[in-house]
Amino acid sequence: TNRKRQVAYVATRAVAERTGRKIDSLVAVTQVSDLVVYNTEAQGALHDQLHAMPGYLCSEYLGPDHEPGEVVGNTIHQDLMALSYDDASIDLILSSDVFEHVPDPYRAHAEVHRVLRPGGHHVFTVPFHQHAHLDDVRATLRDGEVELLADAIYHDDPVRPEGVLVFTIFGLEMLVRLAELGFDTRMYALHSPWHGILGPNALVFDA
C-alpha cells in the first residue's frame, strides 16, 4: 500500500544514515549484518520483504490476556506500552498506522525510546493534522475499560475483522511530546511517483 511504501522509503534513508552505506531498497536493508529491525506488525508488505533477515523481529497485539513476548500460535504478542525487549537492543522500529490505536501512545513512544539503540530510528505513520495544535484524544482506558470521548472511529485490521478503535488523531502536540521524551523527530512530506508514493498527506515521521 501507499503507506507501506512511504515507511519503506524513509526506512531505507534511516538505515543508510545509520550505517554510512548506500541503501536504496528494503532488500538492501536485509543484507546489513547485525542490524536489528522490529516491525510492530507480523504481516503485510513490510513483513514480507524483511522477515527473512537474521535480525528481524515482529509482533502483533493479541489482547490483554497475553504477556509481552508470549508466543500465541506462530505470532509473538507485544504490548507497545510494555515491550519485552531489552534496553538499547533495536536499531530500527517500523510502525505503519499503529500508534493511533494504542490507549497511551506516549507511554508506547517512551518504550520505543527505551529499546532503541543510541542513534536508532523509529519510522512511523499516524493520522496527523498539521494545522491542529493539540492531539484529538477520542478514547481512553479507565480501569481497563474503554471510555469514548468522541464518536468512535474504527480502522480495518487484518487481525480483528470487526476493526480496531482509534484512540488518538495526532496534532503538533505530538512533536513537542516526542521531543520531551528525547526524540529528534523529522517529518517527511513525500511525493515520489518513481517509488509509487502518491496522494495527499503522505507524511512519515523518523524519530
Side-chain angles (χ1 to χ4, degrees), residues 78-145:
Q78 291 288 356
D79 181 345
L80 290 172
M81 298 185 296
L83 291 168
S84 69
Y85 302 119
D86 292 338
D87 294 358
S89 61
I90 297 171
D91 297 288
L92 174 65
I93 296 177
L94 306 175
S95 63
S96 178
D97 292 346
V98 171
F99 273 63
E100 68 267 29
H101 303 298
V102 178
D104 186 344
Y106 297 108
R107 182 176 164 191
H109 279 296
E111 278 291 273
V112 165
H113 193 271
R114 178 183 68 79
V115 303
L116 277 177
R117 290 173 175 161
H121 295 259
H122 176 205
V123 177
F124 67 97
T125 59
V126 290
F128 185 79
H129 289 165
Q130 299 178 64
H131 305 296
H133 290 100
L134 299 179
D135 293 343
D136 177 13
V137 181
R138 307 190 62 82
T140 188
L141 275 187
R142 198 176 301 279
D143 298 325
E145 297 294 326

Side-chain angles (χ1 to χ4, degrees), residues 45-62:
L46 295 175
H47 173 77
D48 291 345
Q49 293 182 73
L50 294 171
H51 75 275
M53 71 180 294
Y56 179 70
L57 306 167
C58 62
S59 71
E60 294 283 354
Y61 178 74
L62 301 174

Side-chain angles (χ1 to χ4, degrees), residues 143-155:
D143 298 325
E145 297 294 326
V146 173
E147 178 181 329
L148 292 177
L149 306 176
D151 291 343
I153 297 174
Y154 291 89
H155 288 170

Side-chain angles (χ1 to χ4, degrees), residues 5-6 21-22 29-30 62 75 79 91-92 101 109 115 134 138 151 168 170 175-176 186-187 194 198 203:
R5 291 192 192 99
Q6 295 162 23
R21 295 170 52 177
K22 181 181 179 181
V29 170
T30 66
L62 301 174
T75 303
D79 181 345
D91 297 288
L92 174 65
H101 303 298
H109 279 296
V115 303
L134 299 179
R138 307 190 62 82
D151 291 343
T168 308
F170 297 93
L175 301 178
V176 176
R186 286 172 281 187
M187 182 173 72
W194 179 259
L198 303 167
L203 297 178

Side-chain angles (χ1 to χ4, degrees), residues 60-68 70 72 77-79 159-160:
E60 294 283 354
Y61 178 74
L62 301 174
D65 297 332
H66 301 289
E67 291 296 320
E70 180 182 344
V72 182
H77 165 80
Q78 291 288 356
D79 181 345
V159 177
R160 300 168 190 81

